[in-house]
Amino acid sequence: MKIVIIGGEAAGMSAAAKAARTNPSADIIVYEASEIISFGACGLPYFVADEFQDPSYMAEFTPEQFAKRGIDVRTGHRVTKIDSVNKTLDVNSDEGTMTARYDRLMIATGAREIIPPIEGLRKEGVYSLRRMQDGIDLKAAIGNEACQHITVIGSGFIGLEVAEAMVHRGKKVRLIERASRLIPDAFDSEISKHFMTELRQAGVEVLTDEQVISVIGDQSVEGIITDKGEYQTDLVLVCTGVKPNTDFLLETGIEMLANGAIRIDQHGKTSLNDVWAAGDCASIPNAISGKDSYIPLATGANKLGRLVGEAMARSSASGQHQQISPFTGSLGTSCIRLLGLEAGRTGLSEREAVTAGLR
Ligand SMILES: Cc1cc2nc3c(=O)[nH]c(=O)nc-3n(C[C@H](O)[C@H](O)[C@H](O)COP(=O)(O)OP(=O)(O)OC[C@H]3O[C@@H](n4cnc5c(N)ncnc54)[C@H](O)[C@@H]3O)c2cc1C
């Protein structure tokens, strides 16, 4: 049985390891577009804050270590097309394009940052934080003494963690959020107020209800213009959310949510025959609302990844899910440390409960 996995990070490598344990005779291949596997992006804000110095700490395993477990990991290989009828995929690498065959396929291509409609985002001094190289580049940039004033756009988990990192690095920090309060997608307004107080006490300039329109400067960043004013800054960090890496699947007709996340069932199965998905590229069943939700966190990616690995390795030719317990759903549990404050959530926020028609 040939199991192919696209994407070699949290979801993909959890699936590969579990599939190898479940069915040691399966032929398992992972295609990863980048050169790094098993990368935990969760460490990036702490690397940038200089809480540790070696970026390789963020990559748990190497392809060689997986090879010893019988898993063939091909980095620098990007899948560009899937033919789910003939069970083949097109793979691009330095050696050209080849067509590979699969019996069971998992899509674990994750997500990429949303680029908001702000003019001038290509200027030198504009950063985002997703890949290891993003963290290395950002850390080098803030290591320059001339880089003193940082503007963070977006107050989700990553925006807040990065704002904290910049405070720890002794920078002057401005955080801009277009909503009327901080981290509105994850926490209720009562908690947002605590985040606001904590940041302001640390000297962070927090601007809500304000939208960035353009980044100004000749070649590199000198400032920003918002719908309310103009501010000087040395560096801009864009933390405005993520979008699933699923554009290459559009022709397959695979079912997706409105944001492009692949719709999966409680076994991680997609609408295509013998194709599974998990992680930031996919939906996740919500334990409370019972609906398909999008919760791009490593916790869900790892759990669903393991489940998919087992399902692919055990699944019979007739498509039966042999003896595998279904995933009962995510509670959307997450937590954050922001300076001296720690906050956690589980279940639905008030806003999510209203949207789900439960309140
Ligand atoms: C700064 C930051 C902090 C975070 N902190 C936390 C945290 O504290 N807790 C938490 O739970 N989560 C956190 N997350 C989220 C967590 O990193 C993601 O949920 C997790 O990485 C998702 O894993 P994944 O395997 O689904 O996707 P990804 O990690 O995005 O990996 C997908 C891989 O697929 C590859 N790929 C994409 N397209 C193709 C293709 N066509 N062919 C071949 N390969 C392809 C990509 O190169 C990539 O390596 C954080 C994320 C960031 C950016």
Side-chain angles (χ1 to χ4, degrees), residues 6-7 9-11 32-33 42 77 79 109-110 129-130 158 279-280 296-298:
I6 315 173
E9 310 301 350
E32 164 54 48
C42 316
H77 284 65
V79 175
T109 49
L129 202 55
R130 179 90 205 161
I158 297 172
D280 286 9
L297 287 173

Side-chain angles (χ1 to χ4, degrees), residues 5-13 30-46 74 76-81 90-91 107-112 129-131 157-158 161-162 242 245-246 248 278-282 295-302 333-335:
I5 298 171
I6 315 173
E9 310 301 350
M13 295 320 298
V30 179
Y31 292 114
E32 164 54 48
S34 76
E35 295 302 329
I36 294 161
I37 61 158
S38 288
F39 170 60
C42 316
L44 281 170
Y46 308 100
R74 313 246 179 117
H77 284 65
R78 177 176 291 279
V79 175
T80 53
K81 193 175 173 185
D90 289 355
V91 190
I107 304 163
T109 49
R112 62 183 183 280
L129 202 55
R130 179 90 205 161
R131 287 158 287 269
F157 283 103
I158 297 172
E161 286 179 354
V162 159
V242 296
N245 282 324
T246 53
F248 74 112
D280 286 9
C281 67
I295 307 175
L297 287 173
T299 44
N302 283 319
T333 306
S334 50
C335 53

